[in-house]
Amino acid sequence: MSAETTRRIEAHLGRRARWRISEIVFWLALLAVIFAFPSRAALINEILVAGLFALSLDLILGLAGIVSLGQAAFLGVGAYAAAILASWDQADPTLGLAAGALAAAVVGFATAPLLLRGADLTRLMVTLGVSLLLGELANRNGWLTGGADGLEFSMGKVLGRFPIGFTGQRNAALYSFAVLFVLFALARRLRQSPFGLALAAIRENRLRAGALGIATSWRIVAIYAVSAAYAGAAGALLAQTTQIVSLDLFDFHRSADVMLMLIIGGAGWLYGGIIGAGVFIVLRDVISAATPEYWEFWIGLLLVVLVMVGRDRLQEYVRRAASRVALRLARDAA
Amino acid sequence: MTAKRWTLAAALCAMLAASPALADENTVTVGLILPMTGPSASTGKQEKAGAELYIHEHGDTVAGKKIALVVKDDTGAADVTKRLAEELVGNEHASVLMGFGLTPLALAAAPVATEAKVPEIVTAAATAMITEKSPYIVRTSFTLPQAAAPMADWALENGIRKVVTVVTDYGPGVDAEKWFGGTFEKGGGMIMQKIRVPLKNPDFAPFLQRMADDKPDAVFVFVPSGFGAIFMKQFVERGLDKSGVRLIGTGDVTDDDLLAAIGDAALGAVTTHHYSADHDSPENKAFVAAFEKANNGMRPNFMAVAAYDGMGLVYKALEKTKGDASGDALLAAMKGLSWTSPRGPVSIDPETRDIVQNIYVRKVEMKDGALFNVEFATIPDVKDPYKASKR
Amino acid sequence: MSGPALEARGLVRQFGALLATGNVSFALEPGARQALIGPNGAGKTTLINLLTGVIRPTEGRVFLQGRDVTAFSASERVRLGLSRTFQINQLFPHLTPIESLGLAISERNRSGADFWRVAGTRPAIVAEIEDLLTRFGLEAEMDQPTHTLPYGKQRLLEIALALATRPRVLLLDEPAAGVPEEERQDILAALAALPSDVAILLIEHDMDLVFTFATRISVLVAGRLLTEGKPEDIAKDERVRAVYLGEDGHG
Amino acid sequence: MLTILFDGVAYGMLLFVLASGLSVTLGLMNFINLAHGAFAMVGGYVTALMMDRLGAPFLLTLPVAFLVPALLGVVLERTLYRRLYGASPLDQVLFTIGLVLMAMPIADFLLGNEAHQVNLPAWLSGSLSVYGVGISRYRLFIVAVCGVIAAALQLFLVRTRFGAQLRAAVDDARVANGLGIDVDRIFAVAFAVGSGLAGLGGALAADVVGGIDPSFPVKFLVTFLIVVTVGGSNGILGALFGALLLGVLDVAGKYYIPSIGAFIVYAVMVVTLIVRPQGLFARGDGR
Amino acid sequence: MAELLRVENLSAGYGEALVIQGIDFALEDGRSLALLGRNGVGKTTLIDTIVGVTTRFSGKIWLGGVDIAPLSPHARAHRGIGWTPQERNIFRSLTVEENLTAVAVPGPWTVRRVYGLFPRLEERRTNGGRQLSGGEQQMLAIGRALMLNPRLLLLDEPTEGLAPIIVDELLAALRELAREGLSMIVVEQKPKKILPFTDHAIVLDRGAIAHDAPSAELLADPAALDAHLTAAKKA
């Protein structure tokens, strides 16, 4: 055995583990944007939260290849868990965040078996059905959730020090940034681990994955629960930074929008959701400022073109563009 | 290529940074947040047209200040409303927030109004408690108790004793059920059954059948504007009108905007509300004519007039403060203001910040080849009974 | 340990009225080099699926190193030492050979559910990946996505993957199918170099391969074992000739 | 009781006519066409506008409400849809959501966002009393028309050579193609029929759902999907039974237990998918 | 006699697997060809490539002087190629009669004539495709191909997995068709079944033509048969 080959294998397996310069630049730039545009803190916050939500979808769609049209279910569960906790005077954001993630993970774990059988189409419909059922459940239990009127509440300070309301918009964005970054780093690690590799195997060829001794069903259940927890955390953040939850969190369009974001940015490389959320929300903001009634048309057009041109090609383009921009930023900064 | 991508990123940042027309000293920005897309889009369209009409008629300058109206689409999602409110205030330096199509949307903006000390003028959402959620909320639309309670009085006076109520199952619906029912029972009437219909409901048949089985004197109905057409049509289709059951309700079900669409099925329905396009006053005739002219023949409804008055409230408050657009000054000026709206005389209750207005009893009739809510009785100066009851 | 590595006792599988496998019994001794042949539609695929646990038998039992695994799932059987290759490549097109092998080895080490450690930080695993790459001559392509590999190399990876699970029993399903002539020798060499302690069942149409590789041949016809024996006996067997040539068999 | 049953059947028939087009595209051709509602919207608008602007009689507008979306369907199928037949469900979902997002603002831009009503002729308004049971004339009409459509579709599929070729193409496109069946053309026609049925459904449903407005394609999207999911994809009858089952359960549920109303439909779907995840949606060609 | 089919330097496979390589042969009108070889040597791939339902990597396929290789499968069918797939692939949701009429092209072969050839099919005309026995399915598959009124009939292992008595019935029908002068290529693993009534035989081995001779010649030389069909090229 040659030491050279050994080294190359180690390097190959760990090649995505080391943070690359372009990645570091990406996160620094994101942080810089929060400070550079204090007046857009609310929009940036929305992007960060949506980015986390899209990341949650990437965990199952991008890593494990499981399609879902019901990711809103977990967004809603997480948001309502955090909101209900806050309305019981447990207003500490960290507690709410944990509760949101946990509640969503439990629901995810409980519903994951529904995904094990059937084809993509069945999965799309089952996940959609579950989100609709949960939405109706929230609607029917108005005593707890506020029903169709929504539930508003006041939020405590992050870590007991930083208010995140209107006067603390930047705090809110920084809070979301911190949560996104930590969860992203975890997801990144997970993707790079043997577990992540096993998910890639299941996505690429479930039959062979099983033939290598991988308990494919359990892995899918596990990643679905993790994905649900991420979506729940996004929901909790959304609830906490807006201090209101309403039934539209469970709506079909939430699940559809997050899928668009992820697809725009490209699934499977974890940055896609965040970039896609940025592009989608900024585009929506700009177009809808110009034509509040007709902005959907342009998003729709973008989507049709995206599918027609081929997602893979566009995804590759976005990936390369993003890393080049980041490198350029690094060079300019140096 | 690299340069091109670099430009792309720069463009994204620029879009992010863009703050339209940096507000100067002499501009007062009014942020109008409405659902412009999705199922409540018709509300947004009416409101936007109403607010724009006011500016068009009264010029864009008042007390030396230029008025800038910024319209934002919140898609009916509360978190977007909240974000837009924050941005309008924080980024575009809006002095007034206005609009809010549904109760949760109005509530979402309330903390922003409170913290930023910016008046929030609610021109649509009609759940009574909304104004209690922030001392900066002022309302120019109406509250459901305000419209529903007088209906009970009228019903009692007109020999109706047994009623089934049908309301949509959300804040305003529950308000309507409670205030019609409460007032009606206090006056000696009997509520035979209270039916709540889910918000997303394409078919009223089973509910209508339930009420038909009870054989009431009348059915009291509240559905959000837009659902009125289905309800009325199915009511007639089921033959309930011919079996002698009267249809009463708040004006939402016979929305002016939809009457033509509902057609003859609406004939004879008696409702109480604060505005009818048929209201007989010179102010209203001018308003309706100007609105239809500006909007391709679209008939204004109570949403349009509320936004029109909301805009008017801003103008009048600014005149009173002599151009001082700070939140507290505007709010103080708004309290107690009174004027003549297309709907009749109105004023802002200084204590509750809700609008005080006449409630009219109307009946749908054919007039000059078109259907109208024709007013035939007036209950003057009605305050929101919900807040009055709490005192 | 004594006794057969893999044993089937009275396997029966029916699909509705169709009898796909009828009372098949056979044993594979440790280190065996056995081939399974038979015309199309003889039920070879069904038999493999029964042995590997993809489908359950209607009757009969499967023993792996003396242990009754009839009720075990396919992935459980793999962990107990029964591995297979596929007739049509079943690989991970966008993973590299290093990643595919690393995955299989981690899984075998019970560290496959490890979601925190970065893959490739355990020297033992890296050493084993390297060993397999060298044995199958895949060093040059080891960091290329699998779908870009030449077909023959993919076939080799197919076998390497199965071997990475450290099987006691290996089922090879037409390992040389579809391989161009020039890459064929690599496959033959790889087969010859398989560890001698692993029991191997080769399912193959290529008689060249069967007769060079196997020391024992089983013939499956219409879901039943027609005969079993040494290659030279099978070659002479009239019934086998009949099956393949379409003559009416005697006896 | 009988009235409730009738209402349920009528509502079910309405669901069927709205979803029948989808049972052709999704059920037979395995294409996840979330833009189905957009075709229905076009049909609804055709009827509403023809009656409103041209004063055309209701019945006369119905064939046009079929033809216009069918034509639109062919154009879109030839230019766009066909490229996605073999694509992943994800791509199909994204593409058709994109179409919906485009269709709604276009409708809003051209026709405004108020609901366009279909005002029924007098002979279809009001209700009849049959043995003391009040039956709405229009619902009776819908039941009749939908019954005819279901029967016609079934006959079309079962009795015509085209129907046989379509079923053959769905069974095994590869072999059908190899045996001289122009699978491309067959699918184009089937897609047109599906789109046309959607349009007809939109036209018939307009009155009952409170008119046609730009949000129509998403308002009932979930409902369409549920009907086809529950009914299964193996042809028109599955969709019909699914629609009737849902219609009756929904109406009865709302009548007897108003407080759980909307649950029933969603629960029926989820339970169906748990019990028969493959059976209802098994992709035709397994090869 | 005119040349009906000519295959030139044909290579094809599935996905990336190259299954047949550089195949050349020709067939005259009215003649029949036996395509022999063990499992997995590329017989079905060759047939599928002529039909057009697999991936052709290179080569030409002339039918009656026209290169049909660029044509779609259904266009090839209408130019005179009739096909019975290896798995028969009866359309499951069609009845027996529908299976015949759905693909019919006007010509001498009608439903009536097919029923004449296979009376069993007429008995089962309203049965669904999935209710048929293996033999009936094969008869239907042949009848279905005949309904196209083909100039060339491609039969992929028509006797595989069938009971001997059914095999005889089918072979009798095929012999009759060959006698009437219908051109056909029959894929078979059991040469003695078909060599007696085909004009020419090709033996495939590992994707290439290993032997190309008149059927009678091959039949008369058991050694050659053995060599190619069982322990070929034993090292």
Side-chain angles (χ1 to χ4, degrees):
Chain A
M1 287 183 204
S2 80
E4 168 61 18
T5 314
T6 314
R7 198 196 55 72
R8 271 178 63 200
I9 294 172
E10 276 171 358
H12 181 75
L13 282 171
R15 71 191 189 283
R16 293 206 197 90
R18 249 207 0 261
W19 289 78
R20 273 171 292 181
I21 295 175
S22 55
E23 290 182 274
I24 296 167
V25 172
F26 175 85
W27 288 100
L28 287 177
L30 207 53
L31 194 60
V33 165
I34 298 176
F35 284 99
F37 306 110
S39 61
R40 308 306 309 263
L43 184 79
I44 295 165
N45 182 60
E46 189 177 339
I47 292 174
L48 294 170
V49 173
L52 179 59
F53 187 32
L55 175 62
S56 82
L57 184 64
D58 205 8
L59 285 177
I60 51 162
L61 180 63
L63 295 196
I66 306 274
V67 290
S68 164
L69 261 186
Q71 200 67 358
F74 307 119
L75 184 81
V77 168
Y80 270 94
I84 290 166
L85 207 60
S87 71
W88 291 343
D89 288 330
Q90 295 294 316
D92 179 53
T94 322
L95 187 69
L97 185 68
L102 189 68
V106 169
V107 176
F109 185 77
T111 54
L114 303 180
L115 294 176
L116 295 177
R117 298 198 292 162
D120 281 357
L121 186 51
T122 319
R123 292 201 179 116
L124 289 171
M125 291 309 298
V126 163
T127 49
L128 175 63
V130 167
S131 69
L132 293 172
L133 265 179
L134 285 171
E136 191 59 24
L137 202 66
N139 184 24
R140 288 283 123 202
N141 291 284
W143 57 273
L144 183 66
T145 62
D149 296 332
L151 184 65
E152 29 98 44
F153 53 91
S154 52
M155 208 59 233
K157 296 172 178 173
V158 176
L159 303 175
R161 283 187 60 189
F162 307 103
I164 53 173
F166 170 71
T167 44
Q169 284 185 51
R170 185 191 288 174
N171 291 347
L174 286 172
Y175 170 52
S176 299
F177 176 84
V179 174
L180 173 64
F181 179 73
V182 169
L183 290 178
F184 179 89
L186 270 170
R188 193 178 177 286
R189 194 65 183 248
L190 183 145
R191 175 170 180 252
Q192 194 50 36
S193 70
F195 178 69
L197 214 48
L199 290 178
I202 291 169
R203 179 188 69 224
E204 296 257 304
N205 190 339
R206 193 168 164 187
L207 172 69
R208 185 57 186 247
L212 291 181
I214 302 174
T216 52
S217 300
W218 277 107
R219 299 290 159 84
I220 289 172
V221 169
I223 192 62
Y224 195 64
V226 172
S227 159
Y230 271 57
L237 278 184
L238 190 65
Q240 293 174 346
T241 52
T242 55
Q243 298 180 21
I244 187 161
V245 287
S246 58
L247 292 174
D248 72 273
L249 286 167
F250 289 100
D251 264 5
F252 170 71
H253 82 84
R254 295 265 179 189
S255 302
D257 284 353
V258 73
M259 196 181 259
L260 307 198
M261 292 177 198
L262 180 60
I263 296 309
I264 289 171
W269 64 302
L270 301 183
Y271 283 98
I274 303 171
I275 291 174
V279 172
F280 181 88
I281 290 173
V282 170
L283 268 185
R284 188 180 67 186
D285 191 60
V286 171
I287 304 175
S288 82
T291 64
E293 297 102 318
Y294 306 123
W295 62 270
E296 284 176 322
F297 175 85
W298 300 102
I299 301 280
L301 187 65
L302 174 70
L303 207 56
V304 168
V305 170
L306 202 63
V307 175
M308 282 297 155
V309 171
R311 284 187 288 127
D312 291 348
R313 263 198 282 168
L314 242 102
Q315 187 173 331
E316 199 48 42
Y317 177 83
V318 169
R319 191 190 301 234
R320 278 207 308 263
S323 74
R324 281 202 199 180
V325 166
L327 280 175
R328 181 76 179 256
L329 272 171
R331 242 179 286 140
D332 289 7
Chain B
M1 272 318 259
T2 316
K4 215 170 180 180
R5 285 174 186 148
W6 183 231
T7 323
L8 190 88
L12 267 179
C13 282
M15 285 181 187
L16 199 63
S19 34
L22 269 178
D24 61 75
E25 293 286 290
N26 290 320
T27 304
V28 172
T29 302
V30 177
L32 187 59
I33 306 178
L34 292 166
M36 299 301 298
T37 54
S40 308
S42 60
T43 301
K45 200 163 205 170
Q46 283 274 353
E47 296 244 341
K48 180 172 175 253
E52 282 171 349
L53 178 62
Y54 192 92
I55 297 175
H56 179 72
E57 284 182 352
H58 296 82
D60 63 355
T61 313
V62 58
K65 302 279 174 144
K66 197 170 155 59
I67 301 290
L69 184 69
V70 179
V71 183
K72 297 279 183 185
D73 173 25
D74 66 8
T75 71
D79 56 300
V80 180
T81 313
K82 160 99 174 187
R83 196 257 292 166
L84 291 173
E86 288 183 349
E87 293 214 321
L88 280 167
V89 174
N91 191 33
E92 308 197 19
H93 306 286
S95 305
V96 178
L97 295 174
M98 204 162 97
F100 311 103
L102 298 165
T103 304
L105 309 181
L107 297 183
V112 180
T114 310
E115 284 189 52
K117 302 190 195 308
V118 166
E120 175 186 344
I121 303 177
V122 175
T123 58
T127 309
M129 54 74 186
I130 288 174
T131 48
E132 294 173 342
K133 295 296 176 181
S134 166
Y136 288 87
I137 295 180
V138 182
R139 176 155 39 195
T140 61
S141 51
F142 72 113
T143 76
L144 270 159
Q146 197 175 32
M151 188 74 246
D153 293 332
W154 184 86
L156 288 166
E157 281 163 23
N158 287 274
I160 294 171
R161 285 292 168 270
K162 293 185 294 179
V163 170
V164 172
T165 63
V166 191
V167 301
T168 297
D169 192 5
Y170 74 132
V174 175
D175 266 3
E177 177 189 283
K178 201 166 136 200
W179 284 92
F180 174 83
T183 314
F184 192 65
E185 284 180 328
K186 207 183 286 171
M190 178 190 157
I191 302 293
M192 306 174 77
Q193 196 184 168
K194 298 173 180 172
I195 298 173
R196 293 185 185 179
V197 181
L199 190 54
K200 289 173 192 161
N201 183 54
D203 188 19
F204 286 95
F207 304 107
L208 284 162
Q209 191 56 42
R210 273 185 86 92
M211 59 183 89
D213 293 350
D214 278 350
K215 301 199 181 2
D217 296 334
V219 168
F220 172 86
V221 58
F222 168 81
V223 291
S225 113
F227 287 86
I230 320 177
F231 183 86
M232 300 290 283
K233 283 190 168 184
Q234 296 192 355
F235 184 84
V236 171
E237 182 187 82
R238 198 150 290 265
L240 282 168
D241 57 332
K242 293 202 186 64
S243 63
V245 181
R246 303 190 65 167
L247 185 75
I248 59 177
T250 60
D252 309 78
V253 70
T254 57
D255 185 346
D256 282 314
D257 194 18
L258 290 174
L259 266 185
I262 301 171
D264 293 348
L267 280 174
V270 176
T271 56
T272 42
H273 221 217
H274 54 286
Y275 178 70
S276 162
D278 183 53
H279 180 67
D280 191 14
S281 74
E283 290 85 1
N284 188 46
K285 288 204 157 57
F287 170 71
V288 173
F291 190 94
E292 289 184 344
K293 187 171 165 228
N295 294 288
N296 211 1
M298 180 167 77
R299 192 197 274 188
N301 70 358
F302 61 97
M303 297 291 183
V305 81
Y308 182 85
D309 281 343
M311 215 55 226
L313 184 62
V314 174
Y315 273 55
K316 288 179 185 70
L318 272 173
E319 276 166 13
K320 210 162 137 188
T321 64
K322 306 211 166 27
D324 180 358
S326 68
D328 287 316
L330 278 180
L331 191 75
M334 286 174 186
K335 288 181 184 172
L337 258 181
S338 62
W339 69 97
T340 305
S341 150
R343 60 183 118 168
V346 297
S347 67
I348 300 296
D349 185 335
E351 284 164 16
T352 65
R353 289 161 277 108
D354 263 318
I355 194 162
V356 181
Q357 57 193 337
N358 294 345
I359 296 294
Y360 306 93
V361 189
R362 316 91 52 86
K363 189 177 198 169
V364 178
E365 287 174 12
M366 186 64 83
K367 204 169 159 182
D368 309 326
L371 291 168
F372 281 99
N373 285 300
V374 178
E375 294 169 354
F376 63 88
T378 305
I379 303 131
D381 298 336
V382 180
K383 289 188 174 190
D384 175 34
Y386 163 73
K387 278 141 210 151
S389 75
K390 287 172 79 174
R391 266 156 231 286
Chain C
M1 203 179 123
S2 61
L6 178 70
E7 190 185 359
R9 285 191 206 151
L11 284 184
V12 174
R13 172 68 202 204
Q14 283 192 293
F15 295 104
L18 177 74
L19 184 75
T21 304
N23 196 24
V24 171
S25 298
F26 79 97
L28 207 58
E29 298 304 321
R33 292 291 183 270
Q34 191 158 339
L36 179 69
I37 63 172
N40 263 355
K44 295 191 296 289
T45 308
T46 308
L47 184 58
I48 296 173
N49 287 339
L50 287 171
L51 293 175
T52 53
V54 176
I55 54 174
R56 297 286 145 88
T58 316
E59 279 172 46
R61 313 215 70 81
V62 178
F63 295 87
L64 187 59
Q65 300 196 289
R67 183 169 178 183
D68 186 344
V69 295
T70 316
F72 286 35
S73 74
S75 57
E76 284 167 330
R77 293 186 201 196
V78 175
R79 275 170 267 158
L80 289 173
L82 174 65
S83 203
R84 69 171 293 192
T85 69
F86 292 83
Q87 182 185 357
I88 296 164
N89 276 344
Q90 297 292 343
L91 298 167
F92 309 116
H94 294 94
L95 300 190
T96 61
I98 295 180
E99 286 168 331
S100 306
L101 290 171
L103 167 77
I105 297 163
S106 302
E107 242 4 275
R108 193 197 73 224
N109 285 349
R110 301 284 189 277
S111 58
D114 187 342
F115 61 88
W116 182 241
R117 181 189 296 274
V118 172
T121 51
R122 295 166 72 136
I125 293 181
V126 172
E128 199 176 330
I129 294 173
E130 186 174 352
D131 176 47
L132 282 166
L133 288 170
T134 319
R135 269 159 67 190
F136 287 89
L138 292 165
E139 301 104 312
E141 297 85 2
M142 68 186 186
D143 51 6
Q144 307 298 318
T146 300
H147 70 94
T148 64
L149 266 52
Y151 191 74
K153 296 283 183 187
Q154 293 192 26
R155 290 307 285 170
L156 287 171
L157 181 58
E158 180 82 30
I159 303 170
L161 270 183
L163 217 56
T165 64
R166 288 244 176 105
R168 307 310 306 155
V169 179
L170 181 59
L171 307 184
L172 297 172
D173 195 352
E174 298 196 34
V179 180
E181 194 58 42
E182 52 274 23
E183 295 174 44
R184 218 174 115 80
Q185 289 309 318
D186 297 342
I187 307 272
L188 297 182
L191 291 181
L194 287 174
S196 60
D197 58 335
V198 177
I200 294 172
L201 183 65
L202 173 75
I203 296 94
E204 187 54 79
H205 292 305
D206 188 328
M207 295 301 155
D208 262 4
L209 195 53
V210 169
F211 283 91
T212 27
F213 180 82
T215 55
R216 203 172 165 78
I217 294 176
S218 307
V219 185
L220 193 70
V221 176
R224 295 171 192 277
L225 273 186
L226 179 74
T227 181
E228 202 176 286
K230 293 193 180 123
E232 47 272 33
D233 299 337
I234 296 294
K236 282 183 240 152
D237 192 310
E238 282 301 315
R239 292 173 301 168
V240 177
R241 278 176 58 86
V243 165
Y244 273 86
L245 298 179
E247 293 167 349
D248 295 329
H250 306 285
Chain D
M1 181 58 214
L2 272 178
T3 313
I4 287 299
L5 189 66
F6 174 76
D7 281 338
V9 169
Y11 184 52
M13 281 294 202
L14 188 72
L15 291 179
F16 166 72
V17 77
L18 275 171
S20 64
L22 193 63
S23 77
V24 173
T25 44
L26 177 69
L28 283 176
M29 297 162 65
N30 289 321
F31 192 96
I32 308 177
N33 186 15
L34 297 188
H36 177 75
F39 292 101
M41 175 178 77
V42 172
Y45 273 130
V46 166
T47 290
L49 291 177
M50 278 181 74
M51 293 178 71
D52 199 33
R53 305 240 166 117
L54 307 176
F58 177 66
L59 285 182
L60 190 74
T61 67
L62 292 182
V64 187
F66 178 91
L67 284 175
V68 173
L71 217 63
L72 186 68
V74 169
V75 172
L76 284 175
E77 200 270 349
R78 289 282 95 180
T79 53
L80 298 174
Y81 272 93
R82 57 175 311 187
R83 303 192 201 183
L84 291 172
Y85 281 151
S88 70
L90 183 61
D91 276 319
Q92 297 178 350
V93 163
L94 291 169
F95 169 71
T96 51
I97 286 182
L99 285 188
V100 170
L101 288 180
M102 290 172 74
M104 294 191 295
I106 290 174
D108 189 356
F109 182 75
L110 294 177
L111 298 161
N113 68 359
E114 65 274 16
H116 282 65
Q117 298 293 331
V118 170
N119 288 308
L120 299 174
W123 61 274
L124 281 174
S125 310
S127 62
L128 304 163
S129 181
V130 182
Y131 300 111
V133 178
I135 288 180
S136 129
R137 288 173 200 230
Y138 188 59
R139 283 176 190 244
L140 200 61
F141 174 76
I142 285 181
V143 170
V145 171
C146 295
V148 169
I149 291 174
L153 267 181
Q154 189 61 21
L155 282 179
F156 174 68
L157 272 176
V158 171
R159 290 290 161 82
T160 63
R161 182 170 136 104
F162 181 89
Q165 290 186 331
L166 175 60
R167 279 179 290 138
V170 170
D171 267 356
D172 194 333
R174 176 176 167 271
V175 169
N177 203 3
L179 286 169
I181 295 177
D182 189 344
V183 175
D184 259 15
R185 190 181 60 85
I186 298 267
F187 276 1
V189 174
F191 193 89
V193 172
S195 307
L197 284 173
L200 187 59
L204 287 171
D207 177 68
V208 185
V209 300
I212 296 285
D213 65 59
S215 67
F216 189 87
V218 283
K219 236 187 324 196
F220 299 102
L221 169 62
V222 171
T223 314
F224 302 146
L225 288 173
I226 292 175
V227 168
V228 179
T229 308
V230 170
S233 52
N234 291 329
I236 300 306
L237 292 180
L240 180 64
F241 291 134
L244 288 178
L245 177 76
L246 283 171
V248 171
L249 282 181
D250 188 49
V251 169
K254 282 177 179 160
Y255 180 80
Y256 291 108
I257 334 167
S259 57
I260 66 148
F263 261 128
I264 292 181
V265 172
Y266 302 149
V268 168
M269 174 172 86
V270 172
V271 169
T272 307
L273 286 172
I274 294 170
V275 179
R276 296 191 55 195
Q278 292 278 25
L280 301 181
F281 270 135
R283 293 230 157 200
D285 175 17
R287 290 170 61 93
Chain E
M1 215 175 275
E3 181 178 279
L4 178 62
L5 178 77
R6 166 170 292 281
V7 169
E8 270 178 29
N9 195 24
L10 192 65
S11 299
Y14 295 92
E16 291 178 48
L18 180 68
V19 183
I20 56 171
Q21 221 172 343
I23 301 274
D24 282 294
F25 72 88
L27 181 68
E28 286 179 349
D29 206 358
R31 293 302 184 90
S32 54
L33 176 74
L35 188 56
L36 306 172
R38 300 182 316 270
N39 267 352
V41 296
K43 301 186 298 293
T44 294
T45 305
L46 177 54
I47 294 294
D48 286 358
T49 311
I50 296 172
V51 174
V53 293
T54 190
T55 319
R56 179 179 56 99
F57 295 152
S58 62
K60 290 195 159 115
I61 304 163
W62 303 89
L63 183 74
V66 181
D67 182 10
I68 58 167
L71 299 183
S72 66
H74 67 85
R76 295 186 197 190
H78 285 264
R79 284 190 167 271
I81 299 230
W83 173 46
T84 69
Q86 189 179 20
E87 316 272 321
R88 288 137 206 175
N89 301 74
I90 298 307
F91 298 123
R92 286 163 307 164
S93 36
L94 274 59
T95 63
V96 167
E97 189 149 310
E98 281 174 336
N99 264 285
L100 297 174
T101 53
V103 302
V105 169
W109 281 99
T110 59
V111 176
R112 198 96 307 280
R113 190 165 163 207
V114 169
Y115 286 159
L117 185 66
F118 298 118
R120 277 160 177 268
L121 292 182
E122 185 163 19
E123 291 165 25
R124 316 216 57 174
R125 51 186 291 184
T126 56
N127 284 54
R130 60 188 105 193
Q131 294 161 298
L132 301 182
S133 73
E136 287 162 342
Q137 287 191 19
Q138 189 60 57
M139 291 172 189
L140 180 54
I142 295 171
R144 189 175 60 177
L146 289 172
M147 290 299 289
L148 280 159
N149 283 293
R151 298 164 70 185
L152 172 64
L153 185 59
L154 306 177
L155 299 145
D156 198 348
E157 308 216 11
T159 65
E160 182 195 315
L162 302 181
I165 184 159
I166 304 289
V167 170
D168 293 342
E169 196 176 331
L170 270 175
L171 289 175
L174 291 183
R175 187 176 291 123
E176 178 61 20
L177 290 174
R179 203 185 50 75
E180 285 173 14
L182 179 61
S183 307
M184 59 174 95
I185 299 179
V186 189
V187 171
E188 193 45 83
Q189 287 191 58
K190 302 167 187 171
K192 301 209 170 163
K193 299 255 185 245
I194 56 164
L195 284 177
F197 68 87
T198 50
D199 299 307
H200 203 88
I202 285 179
V203 181
L204 282 189
D205 192 27
R206 280 183 217 144
I209 294 182
H211 200 101
D212 186 346
S215 297
E217 198 175 291
L218 192 62
L219 201 54
D221 180 5
L225 261 186
D226 267 23
H228 289 299
L229 296 172
T230 53
K233 294 180 198 158
K234 190 172 166 185

